[in-house]
């Protein structure tokens, strides 16, 4: 390629036009006359269904549509549509459409960035320069900001803000590697059958918001005979699940010898909430106060709290 820069340039242009279904790799040339040949492979459009990998700068004057794009530098005067992921040291385009974009910085020459999709921001601080440059005005139509994630994987006891701090795990009954660290969760076998696991999130931990969203995984362990597991936000029931089990149904994956009918139940609820107020999160079960938690119990894992 270095000995024939013009051939390389023409080949890259032809490949960008065709964007073949198979992977395309253009290594680029070196040591040629800058007055006659540009290091930028240029095309008016490139469309295809395969992978494009370019190790030299590339400029597309029209639109580009590929499955996966990987480039050290990419400049498009039109739009870029990628069905899979985009990895680039520098990516410039009027419009970018992709499932995954990995970047350390997003800027806009107009001072405004619009993301037309639901966005979840893990970072709780204001938009930082490591993700969205503060000099640009960011328009995010539906953003949930994660403010708390408790996996209880530290074992031992839960954090003191929970009213019930005992943790448990299923050990190797669920088929996991006995030598691997166990998956701890709040409550569980011989810890709680009836009552509530709750915590209060202080208003100082919540950015300005109008809504609160809570997600979690819940376990109904051992023998459930119609009792109801529920979740509350600010003492209002927002989710319920009736537990029914039988010795002849399910698999024994946790607790005592009775098989479980449901573990890892997904819960995802959102409610209106006012800024400046704490939020109380509770998980509980109906039943008698005399119910033996070694015969029937419930557990809670991976509690995530968002606001927007």
């Amino acid at each position: 390629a270095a000995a024939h820069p013009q051939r390389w340039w023409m080949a890259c242009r032809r490949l960008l036009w065709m964007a073949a279904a198979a992977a395309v790799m253009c290594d680029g040339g070196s040591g040629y006359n800058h007055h006659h040949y540009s290091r930028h492979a240029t095309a008016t459009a490139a469309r295809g269904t395969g992978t494009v990998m370019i190790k030299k700068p590339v400029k597309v004057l029209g639109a580009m549509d590929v499955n996966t794009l990987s480039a050290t530098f990419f400049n498009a005067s039109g739009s870029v549509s990628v069905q899979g992921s985009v990895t680039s040291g520098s990516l410039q385009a009027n419009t970018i459409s992709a499932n995954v974009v990995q970047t350390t910085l997003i800027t806009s020459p107009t001072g405004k960035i619009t993301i037309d999709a639901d966005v979840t921001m893990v970072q709780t601080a204001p938009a930082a320069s490591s993700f969205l440059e503060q000099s640009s005005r960011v328009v995010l139509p539906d953003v949930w900001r994660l403010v708390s994630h408790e996996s209880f994987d530290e074992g031992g006891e839960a954090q003191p803000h929970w009213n019930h701090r005992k943790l448990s795990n299923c050990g190797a009954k669920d088929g996991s590697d006995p030598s691997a660290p166990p998956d701890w969760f709040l409550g569980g076998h011989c810890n709680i059958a009836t009552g509530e696991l709750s915590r209060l999130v202080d208003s100082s931990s919540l950015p300005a918001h109008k809504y609160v969203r809570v997600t979690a995984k819940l376990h109904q362990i051992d023998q459930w005979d119609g009792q109801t597991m529920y979740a509350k936000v600010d003492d209002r029931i927002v989710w319920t699940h009736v537990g029914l089990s039988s010795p002849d149904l399910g698999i024994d994956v946790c607790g005592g010898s009775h098989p479980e009918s449901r573990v890892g139940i997904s819960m995802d609820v959102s409610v209106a909430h006012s800024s400046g107020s704490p939020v109380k999160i509770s998980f509980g079960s109906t039943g008698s106060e005399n119910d033996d938690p070694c015969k029937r119990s419930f557990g809670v894992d991976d509690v995530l709290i968002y606001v927007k």
Side-chain angles (χ1 to χ4, degrees):
H4 301 284
Q6 186 174 13
R7 291 183 183 178
W8 169 85
W9 181 85
M10 293 177 66
C12 275
R13 179 171 181 172
R14 186 177 297 110
L15 289 172
L16 286 172
W17 268 93
M18 296 173 65
V24 177
M25 180 180 293
C26 299
D27 288 335
S30 61
Y32 50 85
N33 192 325
H34 289 270
H35 296 290
H36 293 88
Y37 305 106
S38 170
R39 284 182 177 267
H40 289 72
T42 306
T44 56
R47 295 183 180 275
T49 59
T51 299
V52 175
M53 180 180 292
I54 304 164
K55 294 186 177 180
K56 289 294 182 179
V58 64
K59 182 178 182 180
V60 176
L61 301 180
M64 188 169 189
D65 186 356
V66 296
N67 276 352
T68 302
L69 174 64
S70 178
T72 55
F73 175 84
F74 189 89
N75 189 337
S77 59
S79 63
V80 176
S81 178
V82 182
Q83 297 181 21
S85 62
V86 176
T87 303
S88 178
S90 177
L91 177 62
Q92 299 177 8
N94 291 340
T95 303
I96 301 172
S97 175
N99 289 339
V100 178
V101 178
Q102 296 182 355
T103 182
T104 56
L105 178 66
I106 296 178
T107 63
S108 171
T110 64
K112 179 180 177 180
I113 297 172
T114 300
I115 301 177
D116 186 15
D118 290 352
V119 178
T120 299
M121 295 182 67
V122 176
Q123 188 171 356
T124 59
S129 59
S130 61
F131 173 56
L132 297 173
E133 191 175 72
Q134 292 179 346
S135 60
S136 297
R137 176 172 170 261
V138 182
V139 179
L140 300 175
D142 195 9
V143 180
W144 287 108
R145 301 177 67 179
L146 179 63
V147 296
S148 175
H149 177 197
E150 292 186 273
S151 65
F152 308 106
D153 286 338
E154 68 278 4
E157 291 188 341
Q159 297 298 319
H161 44 244
W162 287 94
N163 68 324
H164 182 106
R165 299 180 60 188
K166 290 185 178 181
L167 304 180
S168 61
N169 66 79
C170 296
K173 292 188 70 173
D174 58 3
S176 60
D177 183 355
S179 63
D183 182 16
W184 292 92
F185 51 87
L186 184 63
H189 183 58
C190 291
N191 285 335
I192 185 169
T194 304
E196 295 185 355
L197 308 172
S198 63
R199 65 161 294 188
L200 189 68
V201 183
D202 191 81
S203 59
S204 61
S205 302
L206 303 174
H209 63 279
K210 296 181 179 179
Y211 301 92
V212 170
R213 176 186 176 194
V214 181
T215 69
K217 290 193 303 183
L218 300 104
H219 307 312
Q220 292 181 328
I221 302 170
D222 292 328
Q223 185 174 353
W224 284 67
D225 300 316
Q227 296 91 345
T228 299
M229 193 173 186
Y230 59 85
K232 293 180 178 179
V233 176
D234 288 336
D235 292 322
R236 180 166 65 94
I237 295 177
V238 293
W239 179 91
T240 62
H241 188 276
V242 177
L244 292 171
S245 60
S246 167
D248 302 323
L249 298 175
I251 303 174
D252 181 18
V253 296
C254 200
S257 59
H258 197 286
E260 280 68 45
S261 59
R262 293 296 302 271
V263 295
I265 308 168
S266 296
M267 187 211 75
D268 189 336
V269 298
S270 56
V271 298
H273 189 266
S274 301
S275 291
S277 301
V279 59
K280 183 180 179 182
I281 310 298
S282 305
F283 303 94
S285 171
T286 61
S288 169
E289 294 182 356
N290 298 322
D291 285 354
D292 185 354
C294 293
K295 295 182 178 180
R296 180 186 69 85
S297 61
F298 70 92
V300 180
D301 200 4
D302 292 323
V303 181
L304 288 84
I305 301 173
Y306 305 83
V307 297
K308 76 171 181 179

